[in-house]
Amino acid sequence: MGEFKVHRVRFFDFMPSGIRCMAFNSKADRLALARLNGSVEIFNFSNNYFQEKVIPGSDSRSIEAICWVGCDRLFTAGLNGEVVEYDLERLCPKYTLDAFGGPIWTAACNSEETHFAFGCEDGSVKLFEILPDKIQFERNLDRQKGRILSLSWHKTGTLIAAGSLDVIRVFDVKSGHSVQRILVDRGPAGTRNKDCVVWNVAFLSDYTIVSGDSAGKVQLWDANKGTLIKTHLVSKWDVLSLSVSENEDSIVAGTSEGTVIQFQLLSPTIGDAETQWIRTRTFKHHTHDVRAVTETKTSVVSGGLDTQLVICPLMDKVEVKSSESVLRKVIFPHRSLVSCAKKPSLLLFQFPDQLELWRLGGTDTVGKPGESLPVTRKPEKLLQLKRKGDDHICCSTISECGHWIAYSTVSSIRLYQLQCDNNNISISKVSKLPKVLRSAHQLQFSADSSKLFVASEQATIHVISLSRSECKHVHTFKPKSGSSAPVHLLAASADGQWLTSANRHCEINVYNLKKLKHHCMVPVYNSLPSAMAIHPETNNLLVTHADQQMFEFGIVDKQYTDWSRKLQKEGLHRCRLKWGTPVTHITFNPQAPSQVILHDMHMFCIIDQSLPLDGLKAQFYSQLTPKDTSETDKPRKNNALKICNKYQPLLHVNLLEDDWLVVVERPLIDIHSQLPAPVRQKKFGT
């Protein structure tokens, strides 16, 4: 099952941006993180750590701090001196506010979630009141000499600890005055001529202040007396990040060496009632600066300059062999950044600031199975299309015929028409677009390239008719439920009759393009859809979800198919359940209509719906080494599921014409080679 000629593509030079800061919302069980390029990502930890939302960055936005308020309000502050609240439905900034203190280095919210404190370049701590629909400046605390680099509220909301160069100050919120000034030791004798930067502070409820500084120390201070309680020298380099657990019995610290250190409040001897902070664990999953750490109930989450989000389980707090006991590293987006025009063999690559259009190479050589064939026609970069303005590209697509390209930012949509004559390519922008097109969360062309489907920021879907002379707005579909959740997936049928959309409320709507009306809604499953596609012959909708479940829905019959019901009853092989990342793309084999091809970051698989399901407990037989299999056993060992993990990390897998399979990889070694050099560490034997 599944003999293909493979295009192995490695010229998509996608480079993830480093992680700058993060905040975990224990009420909503969601993690928000900000990257160095100004983008914001939200991960749903209760839904298999799925990347639920992405707010595109901007060249004019630099984020240094990120904070939750309640379950559904998110704020950031950065070096442009502005505070931004985000619209989590439209996935764009809701409003921006200038703090008038120069660059903002840090931000913190009190436990009652009534006030924000912002630490600024001019040495001021600015208090803002949190109102239901905005935040409002209230007053300044006493201005200090030097920038404020870190802030932390006491649980009572009456005191604020602020870290800067060589000093930690404690402010009384009511009076605005500094009531305690703590000088921080600069470290060993050889470093005393350098300023000690207090990168992070944490104010515990027992009036202990925890600090992490550029001398590699994690220190504990008595806030009432201003005296040092204990010093932990954890690194020769900076301690860049700190986080305290919700019940204040654990502290994690991230360093410039890429290590994450955990401290726990424990009794030094058995039976002793007195407790103290003891260094218990060291995690080494990063190669560069760990700029952000946080601790959940079951794991330590860290991120930094090496671009990866690491979720490391605390084995004493999780069940063995559960999904929470697996070490996870999130490097690539949980969505596809590659679009394919199958007929002309074109690939469109999406970067934050540009699009690249490539024509695949080819070979005239015929080889044996498993051989690598020489390239006789090299891949060709046809086009580099740079976006206009400061806003980053949030979605893009290319038509099946390769004659149309569309992309969107949070502020505009742009449509281009391509003409290819042999080796000459020309591009023209469609200047007059319908007024309803402002921005899009998702774009999709119809199979015959006559229509463009636009998922707008208002949760509606616009149908645009395309021709060489004009673009015309045909219809706007609205979800039957009236949901305002953003649409993140679109799929159109090959015959041009059906269009399906999936939104962030787990709703999947089916629309009839011939009658221009809502057809039905797929039964809501409590996990976000991660990929979906409509079968070109049966018009059955195949959907995969973030929790690895898969369903097939008959659009015409408005019910799940028999194969889907059998799948839910018997299940696929247990190897399928080991996938750690969500499926990001589904396609079908036109030469064998019963075969479905889907992939995640680590592997792609082929499911043959005509073969019996393997079941969770069935023995898995490798299809690559059938020499030891007798002829009588071969039919019994025909698995419905075939897995290939030869190519990884995978960004895209698709089928072209003439049995060509295109596989887009992004080797991690190529990403690491583009990172700045890590801090030099002495290694044994060197």
Side-chain angles (χ1 to χ4, degrees), residues 186-392:
R186 291 190 174 187
T191 61
R192 292 188 182 276
N193 59 339
K194 297 180 181 178
D195 292 331
C196 184
V197 183
V198 182
W199 290 116
N200 271 274
V201 291
F203 212 150
L204 305 186
S205 56
D206 64 353
Y207 293 92
T208 298
I209 297 176
V210 187
S211 66
D213 56 45
S214 59
K217 306 186 303 295
V218 174
Q219 294 182 304
L220 293 98
W221 307 86
D222 188 321
N224 293 321
K225 300 177 181 178
T227 56
L228 178 66
I229 300 173
K230 193 169 185 179
T231 297
H232 296 272
L233 184 62
V234 298
S235 174
K236 294 180 180 179
W237 306 91
D238 298 44
V239 176
L240 295 172
S241 50
L242 276 179
S243 178
V244 180
S245 63
E246 197 169 359
N247 54 4
E248 296 187 356
D249 63 350
S250 174
I251 299 171
V252 288
T255 71
S256 292
E257 296 173 318
T259 56
V260 175
I261 297 103
Q262 183 184 23
F263 301 88
Q264 290 179 280
L265 192 60
L266 301 172
S267 171
T269 58
I270 299 175
D272 192 353
E274 185 179 350
T275 58
Q276 58 182 306
W277 288 101
I278 299 174
R279 178 174 174 172
T280 55
R281 294 186 179 99
T282 299
F283 307 101
K284 178 64 175 172
H285 299 298
H286 296 275
T287 58
H288 291 67
D289 296 358
V290 180
R291 297 285 187 89
V293 291
T294 189
E295 187 175 349
T296 70
K297 292 180 180 180
T298 59
S299 61
V300 172
V301 186
S302 57
L305 202 59
D306 62 1
T307 77
Q308 61 182 353
L309 175 69
V310 177
I311 304 166
C312 184
L314 298 173
M315 300 307 294
D316 56 333
K317 297 183 179 181
V318 299
E319 294 183 10
V320 179
K321 294 185 178 180
S322 67
S323 61
E324 294 179 335
S325 65
V326 180
L327 174 68
R328 297 173 184 267
K329 294 183 178 182
V330 181
I331 303 172
F332 299 104
H334 290 170
R335 58 196 172 97
S336 182
L337 299 175
V338 181
S339 302
C340 180
K342 297 181 180 180
K343 294 179 181 178
S345 297
L346 299 178
L347 292 178
L348 183 69
F349 299 145
Q350 177 183 319
F351 298 87
D353 59 342
Q354 66 183 26
L355 302 176
E356 287 184 2
L357 183 64
W358 287 75
R359 179 186 288 137
L360 290 171
T363 183
D364 298 325
T365 308
V366 178
K368 298 178 182 179
E371 280 188 341
S372 296
L373 303 180
V375 177
T376 55
R377 296 184 302 280
K378 292 185 178 181
E380 183 181 1
K381 184 177 179 180
L382 300 177
L383 180 68
Q384 181 174 325
L385 185 62
K386 296 200 173 187
R387 54 112 168 99
K388 303 294 183 182
D390 291 337
D391 296 325
H392 293 178

Side-chain angles (χ1 to χ4, degrees), residues 641-656:
L641 175 68
K642 306 294 183 296
I643 290 176
C644 176
N645 55 10
K646 179 180 179 180
Y647 312 102
Q648 56 179 299
L650 285 173
L651 296 185
H652 191 71
V653 176
N654 213 331
L655 265 175
L656 307 178

Side-chain angles (χ1 to χ4, degrees), residues 93-167:
K94 188 176 181 180
Y95 63 85
T96 60
L97 203 63
D98 198 320
F100 294 103
I104 300 174
W105 290 94
T106 181
C109 178
N110 63 355
S111 58
E112 292 86 5
E113 297 184 340
T114 59
H115 286 84
F116 265 123
F118 297 100
C120 301
E121 175 76 17
D122 64 357
S124 64
V125 177
K126 298 181 178 293
L127 293 185
F128 281 74
E129 184 183 4
I130 301 173
L131 302 176
D133 57 344
K134 62 178 181 178
I135 62 172
Q136 180 175 287
F137 175 74
E138 189 171 278
R139 59 194 170 91
N140 288 329
L141 304 186
D142 285 351
R143 182 174 295 183
Q144 307 299 315
K145 183 179 179 181
R147 61 175 67 125
I148 305 296
L149 294 170
S150 52
L151 288 173
S152 181
W153 288 77
H154 188 262
K155 196 172 184 179
T156 60
T158 58
L159 298 173
I160 294 177
S164 55
L165 297 180
D166 294 325
V167 67

Side-chain angles (χ1 to χ4, degrees), residues 629-635:
T629 306
S630 63
E631 292 296 327
T632 56
D633 289 343
K634 278 186 179 179

